[in-house]
Amino acid sequence: MTEPGIIFKEIHKYSKHAFELQEHIGRIPRQIKAQKTRIERMEKEFKDFQDHLKKLKVSIHEKEVSFKELNTKVAKLQKQQNEASDNKAYDALKIEIGTTKAEISKVEDEILLAITEQEEKTAALPEQEKLLKAAKAEAASIEKNSTDRKAELEKQLTETNALLKAAESQLSAEHLPKYLRIVQSFKHEALSPLEGKTCSSCATEITSQMMNEVRSYLFVACKSCNRLLYLSEQEERVFRESEAADEA
Ligand SMILES: [Zn+2]
C-alpha cells in the first residue's frame, strides 16, 4: 500500500491544477462578456455619430430656410423704406433693416460652420464604419477561441479530477474520512509541503518527531493550521541525500 505522505504529494499536485483550471475556465465568460460590452459601446458610438450627421443635415436645411426668409424680409423692408412718407418711419425701417442684416450674417456664419462639420464628419464615416467592422470581427474571433479554449480546459479538468479521485482512493479507510474533513475546510489548500521544518502554509515550525513522521510518509497534520503535511520535491531530495551520506 502507498504511504499517505506519497499520496498527499500527488493529491496536492492534482488539486492545485484542478483549481487553476477552474479559475481559468471561470474567467473565460467574463472575457467574452467584456468583448460584447466593448462592441455594444462602439455600435452606440457609431449610431450617435450617424444621428449627429442626420441632425446636422436637418439643422442646415432649417438655417437655409431662415436665411431665405430673412432676405425676403430685408427686401420687403427696403421697399417700405423707399416708399416711406416721413423721416421717422424711414429711420425706424433703417434700424430694422440693419438688425435683420446682422441676423442674416449670423445665420450665414452658422450655415458655413455646419456645412464644414458635415463635410468632415461625412468624410470620417467610412473609416468609423471600417473600425467598427474590424472590432466586430476581432471580438467574434476572440469569442470563438475562448469557447474552444474553455472546452479544452474543461476536458483537462475532467481528466485532472479523475486523477485526483484515483489518488484519493489510495488513502486507507482509516485516513480517508480525516482527509475529507480537512479538504472540506481548506479545499485545494488542504495540503501543505514542508519548507525545511516549516509548514509552508502557516509558517509554523514542526517538531523533530513530526519531521520524522513526515519523512516516513505518515499521515501528519500541522498542529497549527491542521493542513496535511508532506515532503516537497526539494525536501525529499535533501533528505535522501543526507541519508545516503550517512550510510556512506
Ligand atoms: Zn500549518
Side-chain angles (χ1 to χ4, degrees), residues 18 29 69 101-102 110 115 144 167 180 187 204 238 243 246:
E69 284 169 359
K101 278 187 173 169
E110 284 171 3
I115 287 176
K144 163 92 177 61
L180 289 174
K187 314 289 178 215
T204 304
V238 170
E243 251 190 351
D246 286 348

Side-chain angles (χ1 to χ4, degrees), residues 1-245:
M1 213 184 99
T2 315
E3 291 95 331
I6 292 171
I7 303 170
F8 289 163
K9 195 161 78 182
E10 286 284 289
I11 289 176
H12 202 195
K13 183 175 79 186
Y14 297 133
S15 60
K16 273 194 298 186
H17 191 211
F19 177 75
E20 283 159 10
L21 287 167
Q22 263 164 346
E23 287 285 289
H24 200 153
I25 292 166
R27 282 196 297 272
I28 289 176
R30 292 201 292 275
Q31 286 160 355
I32 293 175
K33 175 91 180 17
Q35 285 300 323
K36 286 212 164 95
T37 309
R38 179 173 154 251
I39 294 303
E40 278 165 15
R41 200 190 61 230
M42 283 185 81
E43 277 176 330
K44 162 116 186 18
E45 280 167 5
F46 185 67
K47 194 177 171 295
D48 288 350
F49 194 87
Q50 284 176 313
D51 287 349
H52 181 70
L53 254 175
K54 275 182 209 157
K55 278 183 194 151
L56 208 55
K57 200 180 161 193
V58 172
S59 138
I60 290 168
H61 177 72
E62 283 167 1
K63 284 183 202 304
E64 280 168 348
V65 168
S66 148
F67 179 78
K68 270 183 204 152
E69 284 169 359
L70 287 167
N71 275 298
T72 309
K73 188 180 167 189
V74 166
K76 201 176 128 199
L77 291 170
Q78 277 169 343
K79 194 169 170 282
Q80 283 173 11
Q81 195 189 29
N82 291 337
E83 292 161 1
S85 49
D86 58 87
N87 280 346
K88 206 182 158 199
Y90 184 93
D91 289 344
L93 284 161
K94 192 182 169 188
I95 290 167
E96 205 181 344
I97 289 168
T99 314
T100 313
K101 278 187 173 169
E103 266 180 77
I104 291 174
S105 170
K106 187 171 161 270
V107 171
E108 207 171 16
D109 288 349
E110 284 171 3
I111 292 172
L112 266 174
L113 217 70
I115 287 176
T116 308
E117 195 192 346
Q118 187 188 37
E119 280 170 1
E120 281 170 6
K121 293 250 152 72
T122 306
L125 197 63
E127 183 59 24
Q128 295 287 324
E129 197 164 11
K130 212 173 106 189
L131 285 175
L132 177 62
K133 218 173 151 186
K136 274 185 180 176
E138 194 199 355
S141 157
I142 290 172
E143 181 169 354
K144 163 92 177 61
N145 289 341
S146 301
T147 309
D148 292 351
R149 179 95 186 107
K150 187 164 173 266
E152 172 56 29
L153 290 170
E154 276 164 350
K155 193 171 146 256
Q156 283 179 27
L157 180 61
T158 306
E159 287 164 5
T160 306
N161 279 332
L163 289 167
L164 178 61
K165 279 267 167 300
E168 286 173 340
S169 73
Q170 291 182 72
L171 288 169
S172 69
E174 182 206 347
H175 291 146
L176 190 63
K178 293 184 201 165
Y179 161 82
L180 289 174
R181 263 202 308 279
I182 296 168
V183 165
Q184 203 164 28
S185 307
F186 296 109
K187 314 289 178 215
H188 65 286
E189 288 172 335
L191 296 109
S192 177
L194 285 178
E195 279 166 14
K197 286 176 101 181
T198 307
C199 166
S200 64
S201 297
C202 71
T204 304
E205 195 167 300
I206 62 165
T207 63
S208 299
Q209 165 67 26
M210 282 167 78
M211 189 69 195
N212 286 335
E213 287 172 6
V214 174
R215 281 175 171 168
S216 306
Y217 305 115
L218 298 180
F219 193 102
V220 187
C222 172
K223 289 218 166 30
S224 170
C225 72
N226 209 28
R227 288 180 177 83
L228 297 166
L229 300 169
Y230 68 92
L231 284 182
S232 68
E233 223 46 86
Q234 198 201 339
E235 288 305 322
E236 199 168 12
R237 202 165 44 243
V238 170
F239 174 55
R240 296 295 156 225
E241 274 166 14
S242 74
E243 251 190 351

